[in-house]
């Protein structure tokens, strides 16, 4: 095996897994996944400030020269668009004139023009319409809704640390479930379910360190990502919740170190809705120090659909988890 130019020995990104226990013979994790531990982690996450910022979608979904992008957040209709120079704008999605849905209107020379009667909005307050603060972090777009959040507002959202700009390949997957944001966050703060509930993606999972309290609220997990057959990619990862509606998995050791998976839970319905709906907006930013990763960056448009497909398979199951949790909570049958 030849050495690399920096003195480090080259190693393949994949490992051939030994003949480990099959699914039913793996070590049960239900004793470690203590309901009180998960509930405490969720409680701490819920107490952290968000500044009233909500993820509404991928930066790519709001494009200059394109149609406006609409999303309902906490029962509030929101419309977003970009001016010709790429600056994002956001505000109420209901036209103040006669209530037209502004998401169905047009953007002309960077100005949003209502398709009912031609009211033109350049992003500044006009005719009873007032903009919402908006932030584009390069991967996701956030909107600040003070009436929905009810917290002390902040100038910027809590954006997780990511690989340096230009070093990673990012993809954003979105799905919707009948649950509340806390049910999505609770799913992510239960890493023990990985190799049981998702054996097609994860094997040999163990939680090697649990949260130690408010100042050290990290799950450390060793896990192998299944690629094909017995080929796996073993890594060590940390799970943290920097704000009430976000859980971040960061690879700290192994292939793709510094890569992150951000799971953002955005409420679509208002509080206490009898049929709540939550959008899961998951951003994956993959990075690698391998010289060949430049090829992956160049092939990002081809890779993104594959990355979204992988996330979709996981969230097909994880939304079932979150929806089941909400159903049991709402009927007073949740055992936790």
């Amino acid at each position: 095996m030849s050495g690399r130019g920096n003195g480090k020995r080259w190693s393949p990104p994949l490992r051939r897994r030994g003949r480990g226990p099959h699914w039913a013979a793996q070590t049960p994790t239900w004793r470690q996944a203590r309901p009180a531990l998960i509930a405490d982690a969720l409680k701490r996450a819920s107490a952290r400030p968000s500044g009233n910022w909500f993820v509404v979608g991928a930066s790519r979904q709001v494009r200059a020269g394109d149609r406006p992008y609409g999303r309902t957040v906490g029962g509030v209709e929101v419309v977003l668009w970009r001016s010709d120079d790429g600056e994002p704008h956001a505000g109420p999605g209901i036209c103040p004139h006669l209530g037209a849905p502004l998401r169905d209107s047009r953007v002309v020379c960077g100005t949003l023009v209502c398709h009912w009667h031609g009211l033109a909005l350049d992003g500044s307050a006009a005719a009873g319409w007032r903009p919402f603060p908006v932030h584009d972090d390069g991967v996701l777009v956030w909107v600040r809704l003070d009436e929905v959040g009810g917290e002390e507002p902040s100038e910027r959202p809590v954006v997780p640390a990511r690989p340096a700009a230009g070093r990673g390949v990012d993809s954003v997957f979105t799905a919707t479930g009948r649950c509340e944001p806390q049910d999505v966050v609770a799913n992510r703060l239960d890493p023990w379910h990985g190799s049981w509930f998702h054996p097609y993606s994860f094997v040999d999972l163990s939680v090697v360190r649990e949260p130690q309290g408010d100042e050290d609220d990290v799950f450390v997990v060793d896990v192998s990502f299944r690629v094909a057959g017995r080929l796996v990619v073993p890594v060590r990862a940390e799970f943290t919740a920097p704000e009430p509606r976000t859980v971040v998995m960061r690879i700290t050791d192994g292939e793709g170190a510094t890569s992150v998976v951000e799971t953002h839970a955005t409420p679509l319905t208002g509080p206490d809705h009898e049929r709540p709906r939550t959008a899961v907006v998951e951003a994956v930013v993959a990075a690698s120090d391998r010289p060949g990763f430049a090829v992956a960056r160049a092939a990002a448009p081809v890779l993104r659909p594959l990355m979204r497909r992988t996330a979709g398979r996981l969230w097909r199951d994880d939304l079932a988890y979150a929806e089941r949790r909400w159903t049991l909570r709402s009927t007073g049958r949740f055992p936790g």
Side-chain angles (χ1 to χ4, degrees), residues 2 19 29 138 209 290 298 302 305:
S2 62
R19 294 191 178 277
T29 58
R209 190 168 183 274
R290 292 180 179 274
V302 176

Side-chain angles (χ1 to χ4, degrees), residues 85-153:
D85 62 2
E87 181 182 0
H89 302 283
I94 300 175
C95 181
H97 174 227
L98 282 176
L102 292 175
R103 70 176 66 189
D104 295 333
S105 295
R106 300 181 184 180
V107 178
V108 181
C109 297
T111 297
L112 180 65
V113 180
C114 179
H115 63 303
W116 277 18
H117 300 91
L119 176 65
L121 302 169
D122 63 4
S124 58
W129 186 94
R130 294 187 176 277
F132 296 141
V134 60
H135 178 76
D136 183 350
D137 64 28
V139 177
L140 299 170
V141 177
W142 307 64
V143 170
R144 199 183 82 196
L145 301 173
D146 294 337
E147 291 186 5
V148 176
E151 301 177 15
E152 184 70 24

